[in-house]
Amino acid sequence: MPPILEVQNLVKNYGNFNAVKGISFDIKQGEIFSLLGPNGAGKTTTISMLSTLYTPTSGDAVICGHSVVKEPMAVKQCIGVVPQDLALYEDLTARENLNFWGQMYGLSGKTLSKRVDEVLEQIGLVDRAKQRVKTYSGGMKRRVNIGVGLLHRPQLLFMDEPTVGIDPQSRRAILDSVKELNRQGMTVLYTTHYMEEAQELSNRVGIIDHGELIALGTQAELTKSVGETDTLTLHISEEEDPETLAAEIRKVKGVVRADVTDHEVTIITPSAEELLAPVVTKSNELGIKIRSVDIREPNLEAVFLHLTGRALRD
Amino acid sequence: MRKLFLIALKDLKLAFRDRAALTLMLLAPFALTIGMGLITGRFSGNTNTGLSDIPLVLVNEDGGSLGNALVEMMQSKDLESLLEPQVMTDLPAAYALVDEDKTAAVIYIPAGFSDSVIPASGQSTPEEPVQIELYLNPTRPNSVGVIKTILEQFMSQVEVGRIGGQVVVTQLLTSGAIDISQAEAVGRSMGEKQANEAGQSSSIKLNRVTNSGEEVKFDILAYLAPGMALMFLMFTVSYGGRSMLVEQAAGTLPRMLTSPTTTAQVLGGKVFGIFLTGAAQMLILIFGTTLLFRLDWGAPFAVFVLVLAAALGATGWGIFLTALLKTPGQASAIGSAVMLIFGILGGSFINVEMMPDWIQFISRITPNRWGLDGFTTLALGGGFANILTPIIGLLAMAAILFVISVVIFSRRGIGRL
């Protein structure tokens, strides 16, 4: 079966700034594919090109067999888009919003009415459907935002950081709904800068940074690529100098690398437990007080750190 | 087309759900109209039109009963404060006064005018009646409108009398009350009587006769209400343009573009939405002032067409400003400034004819000026044919601004800031 989405050397430049630098990947039918990267990595620009909003500077993408450059209208019929920001009319009710967007996707009459009812049920807002969106909580608005993207039953759903700025309960509900949609057969391209979301949802992950796809594969493949390493993070107080501590730690046997982020020193090592004692000793020698320590087994955060030397949240 | 209407109707609905916008779209023009009506004394019985001492030149080469009656009427006491007539004999010199903008119009009554309507004894009625000529100053549309209305009413009375006389004479002949030799004398006698009645100043006032024959006095609110409505129409179109920038920033406009909708449909829908909202606002204000103030805006069809043309011209400005600006904040600030400047330039506060020539010239870039010219003409009894120039002006304005805006949008794109 051919991939539902095939990105071919996609480039987007704004003057001299290269927002996306020739990325290529594909998504198979029925997959949840996450594009993981920090803010400003090029995730939204990539989704904007794939959803035909921006024209690529060069390269192309084929979605449902149609080129985003040459056949944008055919591509639009196949995709659903859940944008990062709430793209709703706050002075309209949820039902009015869904009616409007449904018609924009060509639905009408009984089909529209039935789909609006189904989506309201799906997002759990049947009881509040006649109230204006501006009276909703942030989480409820997010659910309507997602509902709009589902109205026309798209084959491929783009979700651009749909959990930004919402409470943990709503976030949990959204992640569950993504899994449920995928279980029903929908293919999803999900962008996030939360490593945990990518880990929980994705069949495959593409890690993007500074407009480049720096890693691509299943989670197992990606963590394996950086070796069987643990991540040891030392949190020190604001008055202390993390660079001095990192420089000394790099001399300790068993340290693959040690990087500084704010008031943290993040260490990659084959065995965090074995390294802990010498690291604490070293900090005591320097008179630097460690406030807390995190130990994490191989994960996508470690992959990102290994590849870029920075934490995902940077 | 369906999506275009869909977007426009959505915008109309949103505009009428925004309480702040509604206040400025509907309540503010009502309040200002009432305020200015109070200042001008409209609500205390004063029917001052705001126009006075309109300079007018009369050239009477006719010398007959009807020609003299017309001159007497224009010089009558009833029209004393409104008109400032001057009788001249040199027609080219009179025309030169109009060309030099020293008078609003010349009424030329050619020799033989009275005889062509009431033939002298022994003469037959000419096939082509001699016509009065009205030489107009296009830079003074309101003054010209007043003069035209008075002249048209005079001519209307003359025509009614002439036809009435023919009917009476025919009926008298048919019934045998008079014989053929008496018919000419009876007809002539009736014509002269009619001429005298037409010339009686008491029957000629600054009145307008509606199609049904009902007489309605010209109302100062018929100038003020359109002035305010047109000024706040500019608010509405700048609000509409701002909504496009709001939608760009909020992401709903980019979202539309990710649906199977073309850029042209989205832009067309937004433009149509601005137009619909503006037209709805004008129609509501017209309906409201008609009900509340018993204001007669003129021939309904012509008013409706002028409303559409004014809304279109203003929409051109709304979309043009949107194409130039980048943020909703800019649109709010500049939109309000443009609304006020256009209101002043276009005559919403002060009659444009009282302003210097160069301001009168510049005022032609505003929908307010064209719209006010048209609405004043209609309120003074003009018909659709009399407002063709303002309509063409507004449509040309809309076309030019739309083309420029489309060029700007095609370079910048509408899906992003």
PDB file of all heavy atoms in Angstrom, chain B residues 231-260:
ATOM      1  N   MET B 231     -21.322  58.578   7.248  1.00  0.00           N
ATOM      2  CA  MET B 231     -20.105  58.633   8.055  1.00  0.00           C
ATOM      3  C   MET B 231     -19.932  57.319   8.819  1.00  0.00           C
ATOM      4  O   MET B 231     -18.852  56.742   8.849  1.00  0.00           O
ATOM      5  CB  MET B 231     -20.162  59.808   9.026  1.00  0.00           C
ATOM      6  CG  MET B 231     -18.831  60.028   9.719  1.00  0.00           C
ATOM      7  SD  MET B 231     -18.789  61.526  10.671  1.00  0.00           S
ATOM      8  CE  MET B 231     -19.580  61.011  12.162  1.00  0.00           C
ATOM      9  N   PHE B 232     -21.018  56.832   9.404  1.00  0.00           N
ATOM     10  CA  PHE B 232     -20.900  55.589  10.170  1.00  0.00           C
ATOM     11  C   PHE B 232     -20.872  54.355   9.270  1.00  0.00           C
ATOM     12  O   PHE B 232     -20.485  53.279   9.707  1.00  0.00           O
ATOM     13  CB  PHE B 232     -21.992  55.514  11.242  1.00  0.00           C
ATOM     14  CG  PHE B 232     -21.671  56.413  12.402  1.00  0.00           C
ATOM     15  CD1 PHE B 232     -22.134  57.711  12.448  1.00  0.00           C
ATOM     16  CD2 PHE B 232     -20.839  55.981  13.419  1.00  0.00           C
ATOM     17  CE1 PHE B 232     -21.813  58.558  13.497  1.00  0.00           C
ATOM     18  CE2 PHE B 232     -20.499  56.814  14.473  1.00  0.00           C
ATOM     19  CZ  PHE B 232     -20.986  58.114  14.514  1.00  0.00           C
ATOM     20  N   LEU B 233     -21.248  54.541   8.022  1.00  0.00           N
ATOM     21  CA  LEU B 233     -21.028  53.461   7.044  1.00  0.00           C
ATOM     22  C   LEU B 233     -19.523  53.230   6.895  1.00  0.00           C
ATOM     23  O   LEU B 233     -19.062  52.092   6.784  1.00  0.00           O
ATOM     24  CB  LEU B 233     -21.651  53.834   5.691  1.00  0.00           C
ATOM     25  CG  LEU B 233     -21.358  52.896   4.533  1.00  0.00           C
ATOM     26  CD1 LEU B 233     -21.977  51.523   4.775  1.00  0.00           C
ATOM     27  CD2 LEU B 233     -21.917  53.463   3.220  1.00  0.00           C
ATOM     28  N   MET B 234     -18.773  54.329   6.938  1.00  0.00           N
ATOM     29  CA  MET B 234     -17.309  54.192   6.851  1.00  0.00           C
ATOM     30  C   MET B 234     -16.773  53.445   8.070  1.00  0.00           C
ATOM     31  O   MET B 234     -15.815  52.693   7.972  1.00  0.00           O
ATOM     32  CB  MET B 234     -16.647  55.573   6.744  1.00  0.00           C
ATOM     33  CG  MET B 234     -16.736  56.196   5.368  1.00  0.00           C
ATOM     34  SD  MET B 234     -16.163  55.134   4.020  1.00  0.00           S
ATOM     35  CE  MET B 234     -14.439  54.895   4.451  1.00  0.00           C
ATOM     36  N   PHE B 235     -17.408  53.662   9.237  1.00  0.00           N
ATOM     37  CA  PHE B 235     -17.005  52.883  10.412  1.00  0.00           C
ATOM     38  C   PHE B 235     -17.252  51.397  10.154  1.00  0.00           C
ATOM     39  O   PHE B 235     -16.418  50.544  10.423  1.00  0.00           O
ATOM     40  CB  PHE B 235     -17.774  53.320  11.670  1.00  0.00           C
ATOM     41  CG  PHE B 235     -17.704  52.291  12.767  1.00  0.00           C
ATOM     42  CD1 PHE B 235     -16.576  52.177  13.551  1.00  0.00           C
ATOM     43  CD2 PHE B 235     -18.753  51.389  12.957  1.00  0.00           C
ATOM     44  CE1 PHE B 235     -16.486  51.191  14.528  1.00  0.00           C
ATOM     45  CE2 PHE B 235     -18.667  50.396  13.930  1.00  0.00           C
ATOM     46  CZ  PHE B 235     -17.525  50.302  14.718  1.00  0.00           C
ATOM     47  N   THR B 236     -18.428  51.101   9.623  1.00  0.00           N
ATOM     48  CA  THR B 236     -18.808  49.700   9.414  1.00  0.00           C
ATOM     49  C   THR B 236     -17.855  49.004   8.446  1.00  0.00           C
ATOM     50  O   THR B 236     -17.454  47.868   8.683  1.00  0.00           O
ATOM     51  CB  THR B 236     -20.255  49.634   8.887  1.00  0.00           C
ATOM     52  OG1 THR B 236     -21.090  50.294   9.822  1.00  0.00           O
ATOM     53  CG2 THR B 236     -20.722  48.209   8.710  1.00  0.00           C
ATOM     54  N   VAL B 237     -17.492  49.696   7.380  1.00  0.00           N
ATOM     55  CA  VAL B 237     -16.603  49.031   6.415  1.00  0.00           C
ATOM     56  C   VAL B 237     -15.188  48.889   6.985  1.00  0.00           C
ATOM     57  O   VAL B 237     -14.511  47.898   6.693  1.00  0.00           O
ATOM     58  CB  VAL B 237     -16.586  49.738   5.052  1.00  0.00           C
ATOM     59  CG1 VAL B 237     -17.949  49.700   4.405  1.00  0.00           C
ATOM     60  CG2 VAL B 237     -16.067  51.164   5.130  1.00  0.00           C
ATOM     61  N   SER B 238     -14.765  49.845   7.800  1.00  0.00           N
ATOM     62  CA  SER B 238     -13.435  49.675   8.385  1.00  0.00           C
ATOM     63  C   SER B 238     -13.473  48.575   9.447  1.00  0.00           C
ATOM     64  O   SER B 238     -12.519  47.820   9.618  1.00  0.00           O
ATOM     65  CB  SER B 238     -12.892  50.989   8.956  1.00  0.00           C
ATOM     66  OG  SER B 238     -13.711  51.441   9.992  1.00  0.00           O
ATOM     67  N   TYR B 239     -14.637  48.445  10.130  1.00  0.00           N
ATOM     68  CA  TYR B 239     -14.820  47.330  11.073  1.00  0.00           C
ATOM     69  C   TYR B 239     -14.777  46.005  10.313  1.00  0.00           C
ATOM     70  O   TYR B 239     -14.167  45.034  10.758  1.00  0.00           O
ATOM     71  CB  TYR B 239     -16.163  47.499  11.791  1.00  0.00           C
ATOM     72  CG  TYR B 239     -16.599  46.297  12.598  1.00  0.00           C
ATOM     73  CD1 TYR B 239     -16.176  46.130  13.916  1.00  0.00           C
ATOM     74  CD2 TYR B 239     -17.430  45.334  12.039  1.00  0.00           C
ATOM     75  CE1 TYR B 239     -16.575  45.035  14.653  1.00  0.00           C
ATOM     76  CE2 TYR B 239     -17.835  44.231  12.774  1.00  0.00           C
ATOM     77  CZ  TYR B 239     -17.408  44.081  14.079  1.00  0.00           C
ATOM     78  OH  TYR B 239     -17.797  42.987  14.792  1.00  0.00           O
ATOM     79  N   GLY B 240     -15.429  45.992   9.159  1.00  0.00           N
ATOM     80  CA  GLY B 240     -15.431  44.771   8.329  1.00  0.00           C
ATOM     81  C   GLY B 240     -14.035  44.425   7.859  1.00  0.00           C
ATOM     82  O   GLY B 240     -13.622  43.263   7.903  1.00  0.00           O
ATOM     83  N   GLY B 241     -13.298  45.446   7.426  1.00  0.00           N
ATOM     84  CA  GLY B 241     -11.919  45.202   6.999  1.00  0.00           C
ATOM     85  C   GLY B 241     -11.081  44.716   8.168  1.00  0.00           C
ATOM     86  O   GLY B 241     -10.276  43.790   8.030  1.00  0.00           O
ATOM     87  N   ARG B 242     -11.320  45.318   9.327  1.00  0.00           N
ATOM     88  CA  ARG B 242     -10.589  44.906  10.530  1.00  0.00           C
ATOM     89  C   ARG B 242     -10.871  43.438  10.839  1.00  0.00           C
ATOM     90  O   ARG B 242      -9.984  42.701  11.266  1.00  0.00           O
ATOM     91  CB  ARG B 242     -11.027  45.796  11.703  1.00  0.00           C
ATOM     92  CG  ARG B 242     -10.362  45.491  13.016  1.00  0.00           C
ATOM     93  CD  ARG B 242     -10.857  46.411  14.119  1.00  0.00           C
ATOM     94  NE  ARG B 242     -10.422  45.933  15.418  1.00  0.00           N
ATOM     95  CZ  ARG B 242     -11.050  45.001  16.120  1.00  0.00           C
ATOM     96  NH1 ARG B 242     -12.158  44.460  15.650  1.00  0.00           N
ATOM     97  NH2 ARG B 242     -10.586  44.601  17.295  1.00  0.00           N
ATOM     98  N   SER B 243     -12.109  43.009  10.604  1.00  0.00           N
ATOM     99  CA  SER B 243     -12.460  41.612  10.908  1.00  0.00           C
ATOM    100  C   SER B 243     -11.612  40.645  10.088  1.00  0.00           C
ATOM    101  O   SER B 243     -11.307  39.537  10.516  1.00  0.00           O
ATOM    102  CB  SER B 243     -13.947  41.367  10.635  1.00  0.00           C
ATOM    103  OG  SER B 243     -14.167  41.073   9.272  1.00  0.00           O
ATOM    104  N   MET B 244     -11.198  41.095   8.918  1.00  0.00           N
ATOM    105  CA  MET B 244     -10.345  40.235   8.093  1.00  0.00           C
ATOM    106  C   MET B 244      -8.967  40.077   8.744  1.00  0.00           C
ATOM    107  O   MET B 244      -8.402  38.975   8.784  1.00  0.00           O
ATOM    108  CB  MET B 244     -10.211  40.863   6.709  1.00  0.00           C
ATOM    109  CG  MET B 244      -9.600  39.946   5.706  1.00  0.00           C
ATOM    110  SD  MET B 244     -10.022  40.516   4.077  1.00  0.00           S
ATOM    111  CE  MET B 244      -8.797  39.654   3.154  1.00  0.00           C
ATOM    112  N   LEU B 245      -8.458  41.197   9.293  1.00  0.00           N
ATOM    113  CA  LEU B 245      -7.165  41.138   9.972  1.00  0.00           C
ATOM    114  C   LEU B 245      -7.287  40.341  11.279  1.00  0.00           C
ATOM    115  O   LEU B 245      -6.377  39.609  11.654  1.00  0.00           O
ATOM    116  CB  LEU B 245      -6.657  42.550  10.251  1.00  0.00           C
ATOM    117  CG  LEU B 245      -6.372  43.389   9.001  1.00  0.00           C
ATOM    118  CD1 LEU B 245      -6.095  44.836   9.376  1.00  0.00           C
ATOM    119  CD2 LEU B 245      -5.210  42.823   8.214  1.00  0.00           C
ATOM    120  N   VAL B 246      -8.447  40.494  11.951  1.00  0.00           N
ATOM    121  CA  VAL B 246      -8.689  39.715  13.171  1.00  0.00           C
ATOM    122  C   VAL B 246      -8.695  38.224  12.830  1.00  0.00           C
ATOM    123  O   VAL B 246      -8.105  37.408  13.525  1.00  0.00           O
ATOM    124  CB  VAL B 246     -10.028  40.129  13.828  1.00  0.00           C
ATOM    125  CG1 VAL B 246     -10.430  39.159  14.931  1.00  0.00           C
ATOM    126  CG2 VAL B 246      -9.936  41.534  14.393  1.00  0.00           C
ATOM    127  N   GLU B 247      -9.345  37.889  11.736  1.00  0.00           N
ATOM    128  CA  GLU B 247      -9.421  36.479  11.331  1.00  0.00           C
ATOM    129  C   GLU B 247      -8.052  35.929  10.917  1.00  0.00           C
ATOM    130  O   GLU B 247      -7.760  34.754  11.131  1.00  0.00           O
ATOM    131  CB  GLU B 247     -10.426  36.304  10.182  1.00  0.00           C
ATOM    132  CG  GLU B 247     -11.865  36.430  10.641  1.00  0.00           C
ATOM    133  CD  GLU B 247     -12.798  35.515   9.849  1.00  0.00           C
ATOM    134  OE1 GLU B 247     -12.487  34.327   9.694  1.00  0.00           O
ATOM    135  OE2 GLU B 247     -13.827  36.012   9.383  1.00  0.00           O
ATOM    136  N   GLN B 248      -7.244  36.798  10.325  1.00  0.00           N
ATOM    137  CA  GLN B 248      -5.885  36.366   9.989  1.00  0.00           C
ATOM    138  C   GLN B 248      -5.124  36.038  11.264  1.00  0.00           C
ATOM    139  O   GLN B 248      -4.471  35.002  11.362  1.00  0.00           O
ATOM    140  CB  GLN B 248      -5.149  37.478   9.237  1.00  0.00           C
ATOM    141  CG  GLN B 248      -5.471  37.520   7.759  1.00  0.00           C
ATOM    142  CD  GLN B 248      -4.738  38.646   7.053  1.00  0.00           C
ATOM    143  OE1 GLN B 248      -4.341  39.626   7.669  1.00  0.00           O
ATOM    144  NE2 GLN B 248      -4.582  38.509   5.758  1.00  0.00           N
ATOM    145  N   ALA B 249      -5.228  36.950  12.247  1.00  0.00           N
ATOM    146  CA  ALA B 249      -4.484  36.762  13.491  1.00  0.00           C
ATOM    147  C   ALA B 249      -5.039  35.594  14.302  1.00  0.00           C
ATOM    148  O   ALA B 249      -4.282  34.848  14.924  1.00  0.00           O
ATOM    149  CB  ALA B 249      -4.529  38.045  14.316  1.00  0.00           C
ATOM    150  N   ALA B 250      -6.368  35.433  14.286  1.00  0.00           N
ATOM    151  CA  ALA B 250      -6.994  34.381  15.105  1.00  0.00           C
ATOM    152  C   ALA B 250      -6.880  33.006  14.450  1.00  0.00           C
ATOM    153  O   ALA B 250      -7.112  31.992  15.109  1.00  0.00           O
ATOM    154  CB  ALA B 250      -8.460  34.717  15.330  1.00  0.00           C
ATOM    155  N   GLY B 251      -6.535  32.962  13.204  1.00  0.00           N
ATOM    156  CA  GLY B 251      -6.337  31.673  12.531  1.00  0.00           C
ATOM    157  C   GLY B 251      -7.548  31.150  11.794  1.00  0.00           C
ATOM    158  O   GLY B 251      -7.478  30.118  11.138  1.00  0.00           O
ATOM    159  N   THR B 252      -8.695  31.843  11.901  1.00  0.00           N
ATOM    160  CA  THR B 252      -9.873  31.335  11.190  1.00  0.00           C
ATOM    161  C   THR B 252      -9.750  31.533   9.677  1.00  0.00           C
ATOM    162  O   THR B 252     -10.237  30.716   8.900  1.00  0.00           O
ATOM    163  CB  THR B 252     -11.160  32.024  11.696  1.00  0.00           C
ATOM    164  OG1 THR B 252     -10.922  33.420  11.827  1.00  0.00           O
ATOM    165  CG2 THR B 252     -11.571  31.471  13.036  1.00  0.00           C
ATOM    166  N   LEU B 253      -9.082  32.606   9.283  1.00  0.00           N
ATOM    167  CA  LEU B 253      -8.922  32.835   7.843  1.00  0.00           C
ATOM    168  C   LEU B 253      -7.956  31.806   7.226  1.00  0.00           C
ATOM    169  O   LEU B 253      -8.291  31.193   6.204  1.00  0.00           O
ATOM    170  CB  LEU B 253      -8.452  34.271   7.597  1.00  0.00           C
ATOM    171  CG  LEU B 253      -8.771  34.790   6.211  1.00  0.00           C
ATOM    172  CD1 LEU B 253      -9.296  36.202   6.302  1.00  0.00           C
ATOM    173  CD2 LEU B 253      -7.556  34.780   5.337  1.00  0.00           C
ATOM    174  N   PRO B 254      -6.785  31.560   7.859  1.00  0.00           N
ATOM    175  CA  PRO B 254      -5.953  30.464   7.347  1.00  0.00           C
ATOM    176  C   PRO B 254      -6.691  29.120   7.359  1.00  0.00           C
ATOM    177  O   PRO B 254      -6.516  28.308   6.460  1.00  0.00           O
ATOM    178  CB  PRO B 254      -4.765  30.446   8.310  1.00  0.00           C
ATOM    179  CG  PRO B 254      -4.687  31.823   8.858  1.00  0.00           C
ATOM    180  CD  PRO B 254      -6.105  32.314   8.919  1.00  0.00           C
ATOM    181  N   ARG B 255      -7.543  28.919   8.379  1.00  0.00           N
ATOM    182  CA  ARG B 255      -8.258  27.643   8.448  1.00  0.00           C
ATOM    183  C   ARG B 255      -9.207  27.494   7.262  1.00  0.00           C
ATOM    184  O   ARG B 255      -9.380  26.408   6.722  1.00  0.00           O
ATOM    185  CB  ARG B 255      -9.040  27.546   9.764  1.00  0.00           C
ATOM    186  CG  ARG B 255      -9.656  26.187   9.971  1.00  0.00           C
ATOM    187  CD  ARG B 255     -10.221  25.995  11.366  1.00  0.00           C
ATOM    188  NE  ARG B 255     -10.061  24.601  11.754  1.00  0.00           N
ATOM    189  CZ  ARG B 255     -10.219  24.143  12.981  1.00  0.00           C
ATOM    190  NH1 ARG B 255     -10.528  24.945  13.953  1.00  0.00           N
ATOM    191  NH2 ARG B 255     -10.057  22.872  13.240  1.00  0.00           N
ATOM    192  N   MET B 256      -9.841  28.623   6.881  1.00  0.00           N
ATOM    193  CA  MET B 256     -10.707  28.577   5.698  1.00  0.00           C
ATOM    194  C   MET B 256      -9.911  28.136   4.482  1.00  0.00           C
ATOM    195  O   MET B 256     -10.385  27.384   3.640  1.00  0.00           O
ATOM    196  CB  MET B 256     -11.270  29.976   5.420  1.00  0.00           C
ATOM    197  CG  MET B 256     -12.481  30.334   6.219  1.00  0.00           C
ATOM    198  SD  MET B 256     -13.121  31.896   5.581  1.00  0.00           S
ATOM    199  CE  MET B 256     -13.416  32.768   7.074  1.00  0.00           C
ATOM    200  N   LEU B 257      -8.667  28.628   4.423  1.00  0.00           N
ATOM    201  CA  LEU B 257      -7.849  28.318   3.247  1.00  0.00           C
ATOM    202  C   LEU B 257      -7.331  26.888   3.257  1.00  0.00           C
ATOM    203  O   LEU B 257      -6.853  26.407   2.226  1.00  0.00           O
ATOM    204  CB  LEU B 257      -6.673  29.303   3.160  1.00  0.00           C
ATOM    205  CG  LEU B 257      -7.082  30.743   2.830  1.00  0.00           C
ATOM    206  CD1 LEU B 257      -5.912  31.695   3.015  1.00  0.00           C
ATOM    207  CD2 LEU B 257      -7.628  30.838   1.417  1.00  0.00           C
ATOM    208  N   THR B 258      -7.418  26.204   4.408  1.00  0.00           N
ATOM    209  CA  THR B 258      -7.042  24.788   4.407  1.00  0.00           C
ATOM    210  C   THR B 258      -8.251  23.910   4.098  1.00  0.00           C
ATOM    211  O   THR B 258      -8.120  22.705   3.948  1.00  0.00           O
ATOM    212  CB  THR B 258      -6.436  24.352   5.767  1.00  0.00           C
ATOM    213  OG1 THR B 258      -7.422  24.510   6.781  1.00  0.00           O
ATOM    214  CG2 THR B 258      -5.205  25.147   6.112  1.00  0.00           C
ATOM    215  N   SER B 259      -9.441  24.521   4.033  1.00  0.00           N
ATOM    216  CA  SER B 259     -10.626  23.782   3.578  1.00  0.00           C
ATOM    217  C   SER B 259     -10.675  23.896   2.052  1.00  0.00           C
ATOM    218  O   SER B 259      -9.958  24.718   1.484  1.00  0.00           O
ATOM    219  CB  SER B 259     -11.885  24.371   4.218  1.00  0.00           C
ATOM    220  OG  SER B 259     -12.175  25.628   3.648  1.00  0.00           O
ATOM    221  N   PRO B 260     -11.505  23.093   1.405  1.00  0.00           N
ATOM    222  CA  PRO B 260     -11.532  23.168  -0.065  1.00  0.00           C
ATOM    223  C   PRO B 260     -12.177  24.471  -0.555  1.00  0.00           C
ATOM    224  O   PRO B 260     -13.276  24.484  -1.110  1.00  0.00           O
ATOM    225  CB  PRO B 260     -12.372  21.946  -0.465  1.00  0.00           C
ATOM    226  CG  PRO B 260     -12.545  21.143   0.744  1.00  0.00           C
ATOM    227  CD  PRO B 260     -12.384  22.039   1.912  1.00  0.00           C
TER     228      PRO B 260
END
